[in-house]
Amino acid sequence: KQENAGVKSVKDVRIAIRKAAIAGKRARVTTDFSYAVEIEDKDGHMGPKGATHEMSMSGIVKNDLVKTTAGWKFKTMEQGTGKMLVDGKTVPQMSTGTRKSAHKTR
């Protein structure tokens, strides 16, 4: 919730499945994503406090899912190399690398 507190509007969101491999009760899905939002910089991290900026991000996400009695559940999400722009300029520290997170399944 707090991560999106400065979002004023969502300009565009796209998710496209690149690859899906299902084996029994396990699945590995690779997607391309992109989004663009208008944000308010309340704390002045990118310039004057309260200024509005356009932020966009694109990249690849790999998800591992497991099928439970309640349906398909996310087990892990790995965000691969991506690119972040603020006002059309690359944000280097946010534009590379791989992050992996685990989700609880029931």
Side-chain angles (χ1 to χ4, degrees):
K1 223 177 190 181
Q2 196 173 36
E3 185 176 309
N4 296 315
V7 174
K8 293 179 80 171
S9 66
V10 176
K11 304 282 188 182
D12 187 47
V13 175
R14 295 172 195 240
I15 300 171
I17 296 173
R18 180 185 279 205
K19 182 179 178 182
I22 301 169
K25 293 186 175 191
R26 298 191 177 278
R28 176 83 164 174
V29 181
T30 303
T31 58
D32 293 316
F33 76 92
S34 66
Y35 67 85
V37 295
E38 183 179 45
I39 59 170
E40 179 184 355
D41 184 11
K42 294 180 181 182
D43 298 323
H45 294 293
M46 297 173 269
K49 282 185 181 182
T52 301
H53 302 276
E54 184 167 315
M55 182 177 75
S56 62
M57 187 163 185
S58 61
I60 298 171
V61 174
K62 295 178 182 178
N63 292 298
D64 290 313
L65 296 95
V66 291
K67 191 169 188 178
T68 69
T69 55
W72 287 97
K73 302 288 183 178
F74 287 93
K75 184 176 180 183
T76 62
M77 180 181 90
E78 181 180 335
Q79 184 173 336
T81 302
K83 185 173 188 177
M84 179 182 280
L85 304 172
V86 174
D87 296 332
K89 296 178 183 172
T90 302
V91 181
Q93 65 271 27
M94 298 299 289
S95 294
T96 59
T98 300
R99 292 182 294 199
K100 190 169 187 174
S101 58
H103 301 272
K104 289 183 181 178
T105 56
R106 295 177 190 194

PDB file of all heavy atoms in Angstrom, residues 15-50:
ATOM      1  N   ILE A  15       1.017  -7.138 -19.736  1.00  0.00           N
ATOM      2  CA  ILE A  15       1.627  -8.401 -19.325  1.00  0.00           C
ATOM      3  C   ILE A  15       1.380  -9.398 -20.455  1.00  0.00           C
ATOM      4  O   ILE A  15       0.243  -9.570 -20.883  1.00  0.00           O
ATOM      5  CB  ILE A  15       1.028  -8.930 -18.008  1.00  0.00           C
ATOM      6  CG1 ILE A  15       1.242  -7.926 -16.885  1.00  0.00           C
ATOM      7  CG2 ILE A  15       1.626 -10.285 -17.653  1.00  0.00           C
ATOM      8  CD1 ILE A  15       0.513  -8.254 -15.598  1.00  0.00           C
ATOM      9  N   ALA A  16       2.444 -10.023 -20.931  1.00  0.00           N
ATOM     10  CA  ALA A  16       2.321 -11.000 -22.013  1.00  0.00           C
ATOM     11  C   ALA A  16       3.059 -12.272 -21.618  1.00  0.00           C
ATOM     12  O   ALA A  16       4.211 -12.218 -21.180  1.00  0.00           O
ATOM     13  CB  ALA A  16       2.916 -10.439 -23.300  1.00  0.00           C
ATOM     14  N   ILE A  17       2.397 -13.405 -21.781  1.00  0.00           N
ATOM     15  CA  ILE A  17       3.023 -14.689 -21.474  1.00  0.00           C
ATOM     16  C   ILE A  17       4.020 -15.020 -22.577  1.00  0.00           C
ATOM     17  O   ILE A  17       3.680 -15.049 -23.754  1.00  0.00           O
ATOM     18  CB  ILE A  17       1.980 -15.808 -21.336  1.00  0.00           C
ATOM     19  CG1 ILE A  17       1.064 -15.510 -20.141  1.00  0.00           C
ATOM     20  CG2 ILE A  17       2.665 -17.175 -21.178  1.00  0.00           C
ATOM     21  CD1 ILE A  17      -0.106 -16.455 -20.010  1.00  0.00           C
ATOM     22  N   ARG A  18       5.258 -15.223 -22.172  1.00  0.00           N
ATOM     23  CA  ARG A  18       6.331 -15.593 -23.103  1.00  0.00           C
ATOM     24  C   ARG A  18       6.423 -17.110 -23.214  1.00  0.00           C
ATOM     25  O   ARG A  18       6.626 -17.653 -24.284  1.00  0.00           O
ATOM     26  CB  ARG A  18       7.647 -15.028 -22.588  1.00  0.00           C
ATOM     27  CG  ARG A  18       8.842 -15.341 -23.457  1.00  0.00           C
ATOM     28  CD  ARG A  18      10.111 -14.862 -22.837  1.00  0.00           C
ATOM     29  NE  ARG A  18      10.278 -13.444 -23.084  1.00  0.00           N
ATOM     30  CZ  ARG A  18      11.446 -12.833 -23.108  1.00  0.00           C
ATOM     31  NH1 ARG A  18      12.545 -13.525 -22.885  1.00  0.00           N
ATOM     32  NH2 ARG A  18      11.522 -11.547 -23.319  1.00  0.00           N
ATOM     33  N   LYS A  19       6.267 -17.796 -22.060  1.00  0.00           N
ATOM     34  CA  LYS A  19       6.409 -19.249 -22.033  1.00  0.00           C
ATOM     35  C   LYS A  19       5.658 -19.797 -20.825  1.00  0.00           C
ATOM     36  O   LYS A  19       5.687 -19.190 -19.758  1.00  0.00           O
ATOM     37  CB  LYS A  19       7.896 -19.614 -21.931  1.00  0.00           C
ATOM     38  CG  LYS A  19       8.194 -21.087 -21.939  1.00  0.00           C
ATOM     39  CD  LYS A  19       9.700 -21.321 -21.851  1.00  0.00           C
ATOM     40  CE  LYS A  19      10.010 -22.797 -21.801  1.00  0.00           C
ATOM     41  NZ  LYS A  19      11.449 -23.042 -21.662  1.00  0.00           N
ATOM     42  N   ALA A  20       4.998 -20.945 -20.987  1.00  0.00           N
ATOM     43  CA  ALA A  20       4.330 -21.618 -19.877  1.00  0.00           C
ATOM     44  C   ALA A  20       4.611 -23.112 -19.976  1.00  0.00           C
ATOM     45  O   ALA A  20       4.390 -23.717 -21.033  1.00  0.00           O
ATOM     46  CB  ALA A  20       2.825 -21.356 -19.902  1.00  0.00           C
ATOM     47  N   ALA A  21       5.127 -23.692 -18.911  1.00  0.00           N
ATOM     48  CA  ALA A  21       5.413 -25.125 -18.862  1.00  0.00           C
ATOM     49  C   ALA A  21       4.687 -25.705 -17.652  1.00  0.00           C
ATOM     50  O   ALA A  21       4.957 -25.319 -16.521  1.00  0.00           O
ATOM     51  CB  ALA A  21       6.913 -25.357 -18.751  1.00  0.00           C
ATOM     52  N   ILE A  22       3.758 -26.617 -17.917  1.00  0.00           N
ATOM     53  CA  ILE A  22       2.969 -27.220 -16.846  1.00  0.00           C
ATOM     54  C   ILE A  22       3.302 -28.706 -16.789  1.00  0.00           C
ATOM     55  O   ILE A  22       3.271 -29.399 -17.804  1.00  0.00           O
ATOM     56  CB  ILE A  22       1.457 -27.025 -17.087  1.00  0.00           C
ATOM     57  CG1 ILE A  22       1.143 -25.529 -17.173  1.00  0.00           C
ATOM     58  CG2 ILE A  22       0.642 -27.696 -15.989  1.00  0.00           C
ATOM     59  CD1 ILE A  22      -0.248 -25.214 -17.653  1.00  0.00           C
ATOM     60  N   ALA A  23       3.644 -29.170 -15.582  1.00  0.00           N
ATOM     61  CA  ALA A  23       3.948 -30.580 -15.356  1.00  0.00           C
ATOM     62  C   ALA A  23       3.227 -31.016 -14.094  1.00  0.00           C
ATOM     63  O   ALA A  23       3.657 -30.690 -12.987  1.00  0.00           O
ATOM     64  CB  ALA A  23       5.450 -30.799 -15.233  1.00  0.00           C
ATOM     65  N   GLY A  24       2.118 -31.714 -14.267  1.00  0.00           N
ATOM     66  CA  GLY A  24       1.339 -32.159 -13.119  1.00  0.00           C
ATOM     67  C   GLY A  24       0.790 -30.979 -12.330  1.00  0.00           C
ATOM     68  O   GLY A  24       0.064 -30.151 -12.862  1.00  0.00           O
ATOM     69  N   LYS A  25       1.182 -30.896 -11.056  1.00  0.00           N
ATOM     70  CA  LYS A  25       0.677 -29.834 -10.183  1.00  0.00           C
ATOM     71  C   LYS A  25       1.658 -28.668 -10.054  1.00  0.00           C
ATOM     72  O   LYS A  25       1.550 -27.856  -9.146  1.00  0.00           O
ATOM     73  CB  LYS A  25       0.357 -30.399  -8.803  1.00  0.00           C
ATOM     74  CG  LYS A  25      -0.802 -31.376  -8.820  1.00  0.00           C
ATOM     75  CD  LYS A  25      -1.185 -31.795  -7.425  1.00  0.00           C
ATOM     76  CE  LYS A  25      -2.422 -32.680  -7.483  1.00  0.00           C
ATOM     77  NZ  LYS A  25      -2.982 -32.898  -6.160  1.00  0.00           N
ATOM     78  N   ARG A  26       2.614 -28.594 -10.966  1.00  0.00           N
ATOM     79  CA  ARG A  26       3.598 -27.498 -10.945  1.00  0.00           C
ATOM     80  C   ARG A  26       3.611 -26.806 -12.301  1.00  0.00           C
ATOM     81  O   ARG A  26       3.422 -27.440 -13.329  1.00  0.00           O
ATOM     82  CB  ARG A  26       4.988 -28.021 -10.610  1.00  0.00           C
ATOM     83  CG  ARG A  26       5.075 -28.663  -9.244  1.00  0.00           C
ATOM     84  CD  ARG A  26       6.514 -28.931  -8.831  1.00  0.00           C
ATOM     85  NE  ARG A  26       6.588 -29.486  -7.499  1.00  0.00           N
ATOM     86  CZ  ARG A  26       6.542 -28.776  -6.381  1.00  0.00           C
ATOM     87  NH1 ARG A  26       6.420 -27.480  -6.426  1.00  0.00           N
ATOM     88  NH2 ARG A  26       6.621 -29.353  -5.204  1.00  0.00           N
ATOM     89  N   ALA A  27       3.846 -25.496 -12.248  1.00  0.00           N
ATOM     90  CA  ALA A  27       3.936 -24.731 -13.492  1.00  0.00           C
ATOM     91  C   ALA A  27       5.018 -23.672 -13.360  1.00  0.00           C
ATOM     92  O   ALA A  27       5.265 -23.153 -12.276  1.00  0.00           O
ATOM     93  CB  ALA A  27       2.600 -24.069 -13.806  1.00  0.00           C
ATOM     94  N   ARG A  28       5.670 -23.383 -14.476  1.00  0.00           N
ATOM     95  CA  ARG A  28       6.680 -22.311 -14.568  1.00  0.00           C
ATOM     96  C   ARG A  28       6.211 -21.401 -15.703  1.00  0.00           C
ATOM     97  O   ARG A  28       6.064 -21.846 -16.846  1.00  0.00           O
ATOM     98  CB  ARG A  28       8.050 -22.910 -14.865  1.00  0.00           C
ATOM     99  CG  ARG A  28       9.151 -21.898 -15.085  1.00  0.00           C
ATOM    100  CD  ARG A  28       9.709 -21.425 -13.767  1.00  0.00           C
ATOM    101  NE  ARG A  28      10.991 -20.760 -13.977  1.00  0.00           N
ATOM    102  CZ  ARG A  28      11.647 -20.144 -13.034  1.00  0.00           C
ATOM    103  NH1 ARG A  28      11.188 -20.126 -11.818  1.00  0.00           N
ATOM    104  NH2 ARG A  28      12.776 -19.540 -13.287  1.00  0.00           N
ATOM    105  N   VAL A  29       5.943 -20.143 -15.374  1.00  0.00           N
ATOM    106  CA  VAL A  29       5.419 -19.196 -16.358  1.00  0.00           C
ATOM    107  C   VAL A  29       6.360 -18.002 -16.438  1.00  0.00           C
ATOM    108  O   VAL A  29       6.702 -17.394 -15.426  1.00  0.00           O
ATOM    109  CB  VAL A  29       3.987 -18.728 -15.982  1.00  0.00           C
ATOM    110  CG1 VAL A  29       3.460 -17.760 -17.020  1.00  0.00           C
ATOM    111  CG2 VAL A  29       3.055 -19.926 -15.834  1.00  0.00           C
ATOM    112  N   THR A  30       6.782 -17.676 -17.654  1.00  0.00           N
ATOM    113  CA  THR A  30       7.647 -16.525 -17.898  1.00  0.00           C
ATOM    114  C   THR A  30       6.833 -15.473 -18.628  1.00  0.00           C
ATOM    115  O   THR A  30       6.185 -15.772 -19.637  1.00  0.00           O
ATOM    116  CB  THR A  30       8.874 -16.926 -18.739  1.00  0.00           C
ATOM    117  OG1 THR A  30       9.566 -17.973 -18.072  1.00  0.00           O
ATOM    118  CG2 THR A  30       9.809 -15.747 -18.946  1.00  0.00           C
ATOM    119  N   THR A  31       6.848 -14.247 -18.101  1.00  0.00           N
ATOM    120  CA  THR A  31       6.079 -13.160 -18.712  1.00  0.00           C
ATOM    121  C   THR A  31       6.954 -11.933 -18.946  1.00  0.00           C
ATOM    122  O   THR A  31       7.921 -11.698 -18.228  1.00  0.00           O
ATOM    123  CB  THR A  31       4.886 -12.736 -17.827  1.00  0.00           C
ATOM    124  OG1 THR A  31       5.376 -12.338 -16.545  1.00  0.00           O
ATOM    125  CG2 THR A  31       3.893 -13.856 -17.643  1.00  0.00           C
ATOM    126  N   ASP A  32       6.581 -11.168 -19.958  1.00  0.00           N
ATOM    127  CA  ASP A  32       7.138  -9.836 -20.176  1.00  0.00           C
ATOM    128  C   ASP A  32       6.133  -8.863 -19.570  1.00  0.00           C
ATOM    129  O   ASP A  32       4.915  -9.067 -19.691  1.00  0.00           O
ATOM    130  CB  ASP A  32       7.270  -9.537 -21.675  1.00  0.00           C
ATOM    131  CG  ASP A  32       8.293 -10.418 -22.354  1.00  0.00           C
ATOM    132  OD1 ASP A  32       9.381 -10.606 -21.792  1.00  0.00           O
ATOM    133  OD2 ASP A  32       8.006 -10.908 -23.467  1.00  0.00           O
ATOM    134  N   PHE A  33       6.614  -7.802 -18.925  1.00  0.00           N
ATOM    135  CA  PHE A  33       5.698  -6.820 -18.362  1.00  0.00           C
ATOM    136  C   PHE A  33       6.197  -5.411 -18.642  1.00  0.00           C
ATOM    137  O   PHE A  33       7.385  -5.172 -18.861  1.00  0.00           O
ATOM    138  CB  PHE A  33       5.533  -7.011 -16.840  1.00  0.00           C
ATOM    139  CG  PHE A  33       6.712  -6.508 -16.051  1.00  0.00           C
ATOM    140  CD1 PHE A  33       6.740  -5.207 -15.570  1.00  0.00           C
ATOM    141  CD2 PHE A  33       7.800  -7.323 -15.803  1.00  0.00           C
ATOM    142  CE1 PHE A  33       7.842  -4.741 -14.854  1.00  0.00           C
ATOM    143  CE2 PHE A  33       8.896  -6.866 -15.087  1.00  0.00           C
ATOM    144  CZ  PHE A  33       8.915  -5.566 -14.614  1.00  0.00           C
ATOM    145  N   SER A  34       5.274  -4.488 -18.629  1.00  0.00           N
ATOM    146  CA  SER A  34       5.624  -3.068 -18.677  1.00  0.00           C
ATOM    147  C   SER A  34       4.481  -2.287 -18.048  1.00  0.00           C
ATOM    148  O   SER A  34       3.330  -2.710 -18.087  1.00  0.00           O
ATOM    149  CB  SER A  34       5.874  -2.588 -20.109  1.00  0.00           C
ATOM    150  OG  SER A  34       4.690  -2.640 -20.866  1.00  0.00           O
ATOM    151  N   TYR A  35       4.829  -1.181 -17.430  1.00  0.00           N
ATOM    152  CA  TYR A  35       3.800  -0.282 -16.903  1.00  0.00           C
ATOM    153  C   TYR A  35       4.349   1.135 -16.876  1.00  0.00           C
ATOM    154  O   TYR A  35       5.550   1.359 -16.876  1.00  0.00           O
ATOM    155  CB  TYR A  35       3.310  -0.710 -15.515  1.00  0.00           C
ATOM    156  CG  TYR A  35       4.329  -0.605 -14.405  1.00  0.00           C
ATOM    157  CD1 TYR A  35       4.524   0.591 -13.724  1.00  0.00           C
ATOM    158  CD2 TYR A  35       5.080  -1.701 -14.016  1.00  0.00           C
ATOM    159  CE1 TYR A  35       5.450   0.696 -12.692  1.00  0.00           C
ATOM    160  CE2 TYR A  35       6.008  -1.616 -12.996  1.00  0.00           C
ATOM    161  CZ  TYR A  35       6.184  -0.410 -12.342  1.00  0.00           C
ATOM    162  OH  TYR A  35       7.108  -0.324 -11.327  1.00  0.00           O
ATOM    163  N   ALA A  36       3.420   2.071 -16.868  1.00  0.00           N
ATOM    164  CA  ALA A  36       3.776   3.488 -16.767  1.00  0.00           C
ATOM    165  C   ALA A  36       2.763   4.152 -15.844  1.00  0.00           C
ATOM    166  O   ALA A  36       1.558   3.924 -15.971  1.00  0.00           O
ATOM    167  CB  ALA A  36       3.760   4.155 -18.139  1.00  0.00           C
ATOM    168  N   VAL A  37       3.263   4.927 -14.894  1.00  0.00           N
ATOM    169  CA  VAL A  37       2.399   5.614 -13.935  1.00  0.00           C
ATOM    170  C   VAL A  37       2.848   7.066 -13.779  1.00  0.00           C
ATOM    171  O   VAL A  37       3.997   7.402 -14.037  1.00  0.00           O
ATOM    172  CB  VAL A  37       2.402   4.928 -12.544  1.00  0.00           C
ATOM    173  CG1 VAL A  37       1.797   3.546 -12.606  1.00  0.00           C
ATOM    174  CG2 VAL A  37       3.808   4.858 -11.964  1.00  0.00           C
ATOM    175  N   GLU A  38       1.915   7.890 -13.343  1.00  0.00           N
ATOM    176  CA  GLU A  38       2.237   9.265 -12.979  1.00  0.00           C
ATOM    177  C   GLU A  38       2.320   9.280 -11.459  1.00  0.00           C
ATOM    178  O   GLU A  38       1.407   8.797 -10.779  1.00  0.00           O
ATOM    179  CB  GLU A  38       1.145  10.218 -13.460  1.00  0.00           C
ATOM    180  CG  GLU A  38       1.436  11.664 -13.177  1.00  0.00           C
ATOM    181  CD  GLU A  38       0.339  12.580 -13.687  1.00  0.00           C
ATOM    182  OE1 GLU A  38      -0.850  12.270 -13.478  1.00  0.00           O
ATOM    183  OE2 GLU A  38       0.685  13.609 -14.284  1.00  0.00           O
ATOM    184  N   ILE A  39       3.438   9.788 -10.928  1.00  0.00           N
ATOM    185  CA  ILE A  39       3.635   9.783  -9.481  1.00  0.00           C
ATOM    186  C   ILE A  39       3.868  11.191  -8.955  1.00  0.00           C
ATOM    187  O   ILE A  39       4.339  12.069  -9.673  1.00  0.00           O
ATOM    188  CB  ILE A  39       4.829   8.885  -9.064  1.00  0.00           C
ATOM    189  CG1 ILE A  39       6.133   9.361  -9.727  1.00  0.00           C
ATOM    190  CG2 ILE A  39       4.553   7.435  -9.372  1.00  0.00           C
ATOM    191  CD1 ILE A  39       7.376   8.695  -9.185  1.00  0.00           C
ATOM    192  N   GLU A  40       3.524  11.374  -7.689  1.00  0.00           N
ATOM    193  CA  GLU A  40       3.818  12.627  -6.993  1.00  0.00           C
ATOM    194  C   GLU A  40       4.982  12.363  -6.051  1.00  0.00           C
ATOM    195  O   GLU A  40       4.935  11.449  -5.235  1.00  0.00           O
ATOM    196  CB  GLU A  40       2.607  13.108  -6.196  1.00  0.00           C
ATOM    197  CG  GLU A  40       2.879  14.398  -5.449  1.00  0.00           C
ATOM    198  CD  GLU A  40       1.717  14.851  -4.582  1.00  0.00           C
ATOM    199  OE1 GLU A  40       0.656  14.215  -4.620  1.00  0.00           O
ATOM    200  OE2 GLU A  40       1.892  15.832  -3.855  1.00  0.00           O
ATOM    201  N   ASP A  41       6.034  13.154  -6.170  1.00  0.00           N
ATOM    202  CA  ASP A  41       7.227  13.019  -5.336  1.00  0.00           C
ATOM    203  C   ASP A  41       7.022  13.850  -4.065  1.00  0.00           C
ATOM    204  O   ASP A  41       7.502  14.964  -3.947  1.00  0.00           O
ATOM    205  CB  ASP A  41       8.449  13.493  -6.122  1.00  0.00           C
ATOM    206  CG  ASP A  41       9.749  13.306  -5.368  1.00  0.00           C
ATOM    207  OD1 ASP A  41       9.743  12.629  -4.316  1.00  0.00           O
ATOM    208  OD2 ASP A  41      10.765  13.836  -5.831  1.00  0.00           O
ATOM    209  N   LYS A  42       6.302  13.276  -3.120  1.00  0.00           N
ATOM    210  CA  LYS A  42       5.936  14.001  -1.890  1.00  0.00           C
ATOM    211  C   LYS A  42       7.138  14.417  -1.053  1.00  0.00           C
ATOM    212  O   LYS A  42       7.105  15.435  -0.381  1.00  0.00           O
ATOM    213  CB  LYS A  42       4.980  13.150  -1.055  1.00  0.00           C
ATOM    214  CG  LYS A  42       3.650  12.934  -1.722  1.00  0.00           C
ATOM    215  CD  LYS A  42       2.723  12.084  -0.886  1.00  0.00           C
ATOM    216  CE  LYS A  42       1.414  11.894  -1.622  1.00  0.00           C
ATOM    217  NZ  LYS A  42       0.449  11.120  -0.867  1.00  0.00           N
ATOM    218  N   ASP A  43       8.215  13.625  -1.101  1.00  0.00           N
ATOM    219  CA  ASP A  43       9.386  13.896  -0.260  1.00  0.00           C
ATOM    220  C   ASP A  43      10.519  14.616  -0.987  1.00  0.00           C
ATOM    221  O   ASP A  43      11.542  14.928  -0.378  1.00  0.00           O
ATOM    222  CB  ASP A  43       9.912  12.590   0.341  1.00  0.00           C
ATOM    223  CG  ASP A  43       8.890  11.921   1.240  1.00  0.00           C
ATOM    224  OD1 ASP A  43       8.170  12.643   1.955  1.00  0.00           O
ATOM    225  OD2 ASP A  43       8.807  10.682   1.214  1.00  0.00           O
ATOM    226  N   GLY A  44      10.387  14.858  -2.281  1.00  0.00           N
ATOM    227  CA  GLY A  44      11.419  15.566  -3.026  1.00  0.00           C
ATOM    228  C   GLY A  44      12.642  14.733  -3.351  1.00  0.00           C
ATOM    229  O   GLY A  44      13.739  15.265  -3.469  1.00  0.00           O
ATOM    230  N   HIS A  45      12.484  13.417  -3.544  1.00  0.00           N
ATOM    231  CA  HIS A  45      13.613  12.548  -3.880  1.00  0.00           C
ATOM    232  C   HIS A  45      14.105  12.762  -5.310  1.00  0.00           C
ATOM    233  O   HIS A  45      15.251  12.454  -5.621  1.00  0.00           O
ATOM    234  CB  HIS A  45      13.247  11.070  -3.702  1.00  0.00           C
ATOM    235  CG  HIS A  45      12.970  10.684  -2.288  1.00  0.00           C
ATOM    236  ND1 HIS A  45      13.939  10.671  -1.314  1.00  0.00           N
ATOM    237  CD2 HIS A  45      11.818  10.317  -1.675  1.00  0.00           C
ATOM    238  CE1 HIS A  45      13.400  10.305  -0.163  1.00  0.00           C
ATOM    239  NE2 HIS A  45      12.119  10.086  -0.361  1.00  0.00           N
ATOM    240  N   MET A  46      13.238  13.271  -6.183  1.00  0.00           N
ATOM    241  CA  MET A  46      13.590  13.430  -7.597  1.00  0.00           C
ATOM    242  C   MET A  46      13.564  14.890  -8.040  1.00  0.00           C
ATOM    243  O   MET A  46      13.544  15.180  -9.217  1.00  0.00           O
ATOM    244  CB  MET A  46      12.621  12.614  -8.460  1.00  0.00           C
ATOM    245  CG  MET A  46      12.695  11.128  -8.208  1.00  0.00           C
ATOM    246  SD  MET A  46      11.416  10.210  -9.076  1.00  0.00           S
ATOM    247  CE  MET A  46      10.119  10.196  -7.850  1.00  0.00           C
ATOM    248  N   GLY A  47      13.516  15.783  -7.090  1.00  0.00           N
ATOM    249  CA  GLY A  47      13.415  17.216  -7.411  1.00  0.00           C
ATOM    250  C   GLY A  47      12.581  17.913  -6.356  1.00  0.00           C
ATOM    251  O   GLY A  47      12.538  17.482  -5.202  1.00  0.00           O
ATOM    252  N   PRO A  48      11.871  18.969  -6.740  1.00  0.00           N
ATOM    253  CA  PRO A  48      11.062  19.701  -5.762  1.00  0.00           C
ATOM    254  C   PRO A  48       9.965  18.833  -5.138  1.00  0.00           C
ATOM    255  O   PRO A  48       9.367  18.000  -5.819  1.00  0.00           O
ATOM    256  CB  PRO A  48      10.440  20.826  -6.582  1.00  0.00           C
ATOM    257  CG  PRO A  48      11.271  20.929  -7.807  1.00  0.00           C
ATOM    258  CD  PRO A  48      11.832  19.570  -8.062  1.00  0.00           C
ATOM    259  N   LYS A  49       9.721  19.023  -3.850  1.00  0.00           N
ATOM    260  CA  LYS A  49       8.639  18.304  -3.167  1.00  0.00           C
ATOM    261  C   LYS A  49       7.322  18.590  -3.869  1.00  0.00           C
ATOM    262  O   LYS A  49       7.034  19.724  -4.237  1.00  0.00           O
ATOM    263  CB  LYS A  49       8.522  18.747  -1.705  1.00  0.00           C
ATOM    264  CG  LYS A  49       9.553  18.151  -0.805  1.00  0.00           C
ATOM    265  CD  LYS A  49       9.290  18.537   0.646  1.00  0.00           C
ATOM    266  CE  LYS A  49      10.351  17.966   1.554  1.00  0.00           C
ATOM    267  NZ  LYS A  49      10.091  18.287   2.955  1.00  0.00           N
ATOM    268  N   GLY A  50       6.532  17.524  -4.055  1.00  0.00           N
ATOM    269  CA  GLY A  50       5.210  17.655  -4.660  1.00  0.00           C
ATOM    270  C   GLY A  50       5.220  17.644  -6.179  1.00  0.00           C
ATOM    271  O   GLY A  50       4.157  17.678  -6.795  1.00  0.00           O
TER     272      GLY A  50
END
